[in-house]
Amino acid sequence: MKNRVPFLVIGIVCLLALIGLVSSVVSNPVGFMQNILSLVVIGLLIWFIVRRFYKASPERKEQKAFVKAAKRSKKIQQHTKGKLLPKQGAQAKTATFKGKKRSASSAHLTVIEGKKSKKKNRATF
């Protein structure tokens, strides 16, 4: 029952708004069009003012610079995708001659080699 109350209130408000809109159009269509036109003009004016001030913020300029750099980087990656870069040329050539790929070793497991059979001389200072 609690969920029906807000639904009914919103429905009644929408119904009253629709009745008022229809009665306004029927009684004075020219005045209704003038009101709609004035609302659109005021909305566009506010939108342009907000957009103008928002565009001038330094965060926006930094964001534009970041997007521009990202596009440039993506373009370079696509351009060099098929070609070898000069720094990677020697490594890539040696990698192509190997027939099989190595399995990746576990980086967290290490072998420590040392002289474990030799006993420590603790008497020496």
Side-chain angles (χ1 to χ4, degrees):
M1 287 303 281
K2 290 183 179 181
N3 291 338
R4 288 184 165 215
V5 174
F7 180 73
L8 290 174
V9 171
I10 291 172
I12 291 172
V13 168
C14 289
L15 183 65
L16 289 174
L18 185 65
I19 290 171
L21 186 67
V22 169
S23 67
S24 176
V25 169
V26 170
S27 66
N28 190 5
V30 176
F32 175 76
M33 293 304 284
Q34 286 177 345
N35 285 338
I36 295 296
L37 185 65
S38 65
L39 285 174
V40 168
V41 168
I42 291 171
L44 286 174
L45 184 65
I46 291 172
W47 182 69
F48 280 123
I49 290 172
V50 169
R51 186 173 173 192
R52 173 91 178 180
F53 286 119
Y54 180 71
K55 189 177 180 182
S57 68
E59 294 89 17
R60 178 80 172 158
K61 290 179 182 177
E62 290 176 7
Q63 183 66 23
K64 272 188 166 183
F66 174 76
V67 170
K68 187 177 178 181
K71 284 182 182 179
R72 188 181 314 134
S73 174
K74 191 174 184 180
K75 188 177 180 181
I76 290 171
Q77 280 183 345
Q78 288 177 352
H79 181 62
T80 60
K81 191 174 185 180
K83 300 177 182 179
L84 296 175
L85 294 176
K87 293 179 183 176
Q88 297 174 347
Q91 294 173 355
K93 287 180 184 176
T94 58
T96 56
F97 288 112
K98 293 180 182 178
K100 296 180 182 178
K101 288 186 178 179
R102 290 171 140 192
S103 62
S105 65
S106 299
H108 64 282
L109 300 175
T110 58
V111 177
I112 301 173
E113 294 181 18
K115 299 178 183 178
K116 295 179 182 173
S117 62
K118 185 178 179 183
K119 293 183 180 181
K120 293 181 182 178
N121 188 1
R122 295 181 187 233
T124 310
F125 289 111

